[in-house]
Amino acid sequence: MSAPTLDTPPGSQTGTSAGQRRRRKQLVLVASALMVVAIAVGTSLAVATRPVKHQTPAGQPAAAGQQPDQGSAVQPPAKPESTPAPAAATAAPALENGDHDAYITKVDRAGNRIVVDVVQVFHDDKAVQAAVADGKAPSDAKYLTTWVRNENPRLRTLPLAGNLVVQLRGTCGEPAKDRDALLTKLAANARLDGTYYYTLTVADGRVRRIQEQLAVNAC
């Protein structure tokens, strides 16, 4: 029977086992590190290749084949409220319907209209009182039968009706005149300052009737 070999140094088997354990630990650490790197690379690739969802701005239609984002409803643009156009204002007539006393300052035959200055007319006792109130001496006013007061110098232009009637003083018994002749005579009389005033009958903004009146005492 052979005796054990004495050339092997003591503790050499123990050192071999420790070195193997160290190598195994190193291999485990390297494998773990490789696994962590592989997971990180896989996660990065997954994030990089994931499709990006683009939201369509509000008020714009989605592109063909693209579904609108269900999280935010697309609101149609509000329509501006229409404001009704203001009704055209109707010009008020120069004089209301009825009879009005006035001086005639112009007769426009071509334009078929007259220009008038509205006055107030007083008769008999009221004429005397009005004349005195306006500054006329009582001795001169006591014989008045008509007094015309003109406080407002405003002029008004009035159209003449197609069926206008003109009554001038001193034409009784004379043959009837046509419209143009009557307006010519009316213009001549109206230029006699302070002699005549006129009663105008107005209907629907037009003069239907002109009646000549004396603004002074009759002879």
Side-chain angles (χ1 to χ4, degrees):
M1 183 175 180
S2 63
T5 303
L6 298 176
D7 294 336
T8 304
S12 61
Q13 292 181 355
T14 303
T16 301
S17 299
Q20 291 176 352
R21 284 196 295 272
R22 283 195 297 272
R23 284 194 296 269
R24 284 197 296 268
K25 288 181 179 180
Q26 291 175 354
L27 290 174
V28 170
L29 291 175
V30 171
S32 299
L34 291 174
M35 186 177 295
V36 171
V37 171
I39 293 173
V41 171
T43 303
S44 300
L45 290 174
V47 172
T49 58
R50 185 179 62 183
V52 180
K53 183 183 293 184
H54 298 280
Q55 293 185 354
T56 303
Q60 294 184 2
Q66 180 181 356
Q67 297 296 329
D69 188 0
Q70 299 298 329
S72 59
V74 178
Q75 299 294 333
K79 295 182 179 180
E81 296 183 359
S82 59
T83 303
T90 303
L95 287 176
E96 298 178 353
N97 293 346
D99 291 341
H100 304 271
D101 293 326
Y103 289 133
I104 294 178
T105 62
K106 182 179 180 180
V107 178
D108 182 2
R109 289 179 295 165
N112 197 37
R113 59 188 179 178
I114 59 175
V115 179
V116 303
D117 184 2
V118 177
V119 298
Q120 291 177 279
V121 180
F122 303 89
H123 297 287
D124 301 327
D125 292 343
K126 292 183 179 181
V128 175
Q129 296 171 6
V132 172
D134 289 347
K136 197 170 185 64
S139 58
D140 296 331
K142 65 181 180 180
Y143 298 110
L144 294 175
T145 57
T146 301
W147 180 254
V148 179
R149 176 181 289 168
N150 185 12
E151 293 182 329
N152 187 354
R154 175 187 173 186
L155 299 179
R156 296 171 171 86
T157 301
L158 297 168
L160 301 176
N163 56 348
L164 174 69
V165 176
V166 179
Q167 289 185 331
L168 301 177
R169 292 181 60 86
T171 58
C172 294
E174 293 184 3
K177 297 180 180 179
D178 60 18
R179 180 188 179 98
D180 191 66
L182 283 173
L183 292 180
T184 300
K185 178 64 175 175
L186 172 65
N189 289 357
R191 286 193 294 268
L192 300 175
D193 188 29
T195 302
Y196 299 104
Y197 71 92
Y198 299 87
T199 300
L200 313 175
T201 301
V202 179
D204 298 328
R206 294 181 175 273
V207 180
R208 307 286 181 177
R209 181 186 179 93
I210 300 176
Q211 186 170 359
E212 193 174 66
Q213 312 277 9
L214 271 177
V216 296
N217 290 351
C219 298

